[in-house]
Amino acid sequence: MREIVKRATGQITRRTFLGATALVGLASAGPLSAANPGWTMRLSTSSIHFKDLPVEQACEQIARLGFEAVDLWSAHDNCPHLDDALKRLGGQGIKETLAKNRLALCAFSVYRGGYAKYAELLGATGGGVAVQGSAPPCPPEELSARMKKFIESLKPLNELAEKYQSWLAIENHGNALLDSLESFKAFTDLNHLPRVGIALAPYHLQSRKASVEEAIAISGKQLLFFYAWQNGNGTDQLPGHGPTDFAPWLKALAKIHYPRYVNPFMHGQMETARMAAALAKAKEYLQHKAKET
């Protein structure tokens, strides 16, 4: 790990990227078996952390850090990756980029543009999870009716997901329909769409002092994406940087046998070397905490 951090935090050139990727490979990217014998933690991270790099180089950087998979972002905060891939690479180009770096596809994050814009591209990569937001908030007494109406509105997207062998994960967010634990319960009780589930963002649950472990339990089999993301500023949003102990969250994931990726995440831009070092620390921390599950 020390060597990976050293390389990630040094001066990074195109030649360094192209030459070192194959050598470093995924030395520490193999799935980490937790103490819980029925669960394995798998790690990904998001391309928006390296939005100043072309999508190919962002994938190279993520692979060099030892992550197993990548979450590719659309144009939120001017991240160019998915739109560039849509126009220039296509599904085959994305698959070739991932294969070159021995990365799997964790997700497409489509907060800007929406799932329908990228559904065919996701299908052309082999299918997978797309993440987007919910709807405006409502008074508590209207929650059940509004959630039912929202889920009904997702039927066309569910059909697209079926067509393209994909799933749509709805993220909880502050000041949104999917926000409180009560809204998680309403969503999971009312959701009858087989290709629709939840993307859980602890950052927003912590801001309302809601239990992340309870939200994981409520989500159960409908949990399609998990942000390893705590409420804080700057790098304190990342695991192992801010004060949150992630072990209880990982234990809750193990309890429901969550099968997908744990995705260290933060909002905010840093230059490449600093971001790489921060993510390397977050990854090492999660691997250590997974042993406590």
Side-chain angles (χ1 to χ4, degrees), residues 1-291:
M1 168 57 75
R2 187 175 293 118
E3 179 62 21
I4 291 174
V5 174
K6 181 179 179 182
R7 294 187 188 189
T9 56
Q11 292 297 317
I12 299 173
T13 66
R14 179 173 177 79
R15 179 174 296 177
T16 301
F17 268 118
L18 297 178
T21 301
L23 294 176
V24 176
L26 299 181
S28 56
L32 181 68
S33 295
N36 185 310
W39 188 67
T40 297
M41 184 177 70
R42 306 164 68 198
L43 291 172
S44 63
T45 197
S46 301
S47 71
I48 195 171
H49 295 136
F50 301 105
K51 69 174 186 174
D52 291 338
L53 299 176
V55 62
E56 294 95 336
Q57 291 186 16
C59 287
E60 288 170 0
Q61 180 64 72
I62 288 166
R64 291 178 72 238
L65 289 167
F67 286 97
E68 184 180 350
V70 59
D71 162 38
L72 295 173
W73 273 64
S74 65
H76 177 83
D77 198 24
N78 298 315
C79 181
H81 294 149
L82 263 184
D83 286 327
D84 180 41
L86 181 64
K87 296 174 184 176
R88 183 173 58 85
L89 295 178
Q92 185 60 35
I94 294 175
K95 288 196 290 186
E96 290 172 358
T97 298
L98 296 177
K100 176 183 176 182
N101 293 287
R102 302 180 189 176
L103 284 174
L105 179 64
C106 167
F108 281 7
S109 282
V110 294
Y111 295 102
R112 290 287 298 274
Y115 169 56
K117 178 178 178 179
Y118 304 99
E120 186 174 358
L121 180 65
L122 183 54
T125 67
V129 175
V131 182
Q132 68 176 46
S134 60
C138 69
E141 62 271 18
E142 298 178 15
L143 178 59
S144 181
R146 288 282 297 276
M147 188 64 76
K148 183 176 181 180
K149 183 178 179 180
F150 171 66
I151 290 171
E152 290 298 310
S153 76
L154 297 176
K155 279 185 175 180
L157 298 183
N158 182 75
E159 292 173 2
L160 271 181
E162 289 180 341
K163 179 178 179 180
Y164 293 113
Q165 293 298 302
S166 298
W167 293 264
L168 180 63
I170 305 301
E171 186 224 11
N172 63 290
H173 201 282
N175 196 35
L177 182 63
L178 187 61
D179 183 11
S180 64
L181 292 179
E182 292 77 15
S183 67
F184 272 72
K185 187 70 165 57
F187 183 99
T188 54
D189 284 349
L190 293 167
N191 179 28
H192 60 284
L193 302 176
R195 295 279 178 165
V196 173
I198 288 174
L200 198 157
Y203 179 102
H204 299 299
L205 289 169
Q206 285 186 312
S207 71
R208 59 182 298 131
K209 302 188 186 311
S211 167
V212 175
E213 297 95 312
E214 188 173 349
I216 291 169
I218 293 169
S219 299
K221 297 298 183 183
Q222 296 189 44
L223 184 60
L224 300 179
F225 189 101
F226 184 80
Y227 289 98
W229 182 26
Q230 63 185 300
N231 195 285
N233 297 315
T235 55
D236 278 355
Q237 298 168 71
L238 288 169
H241 292 260
T244 298
D245 180 2
F246 278 63
W249 299 359
L250 297 181
K251 289 177 182 178
L253 292 172
K255 188 172 182 178
I256 67 166
H257 298 282
Y258 172 66
R260 299 178 185 270
Y261 296 96
V262 173
N263 194 84
F265 184 78
M266 62 170 279
H267 278 312
Q269 185 66 13
M270 296 186 292
E271 58 91 17
T272 298
R274 287 184 59 215
M275 182 63 79
L279 286 169
K281 178 179 176 180
K283 176 176 170 286
E284 186 172 24
Y285 169 85
L286 286 171
Q287 289 175 324
H288 172 74
K289 285 294 176 177
K291 296 174 183 177

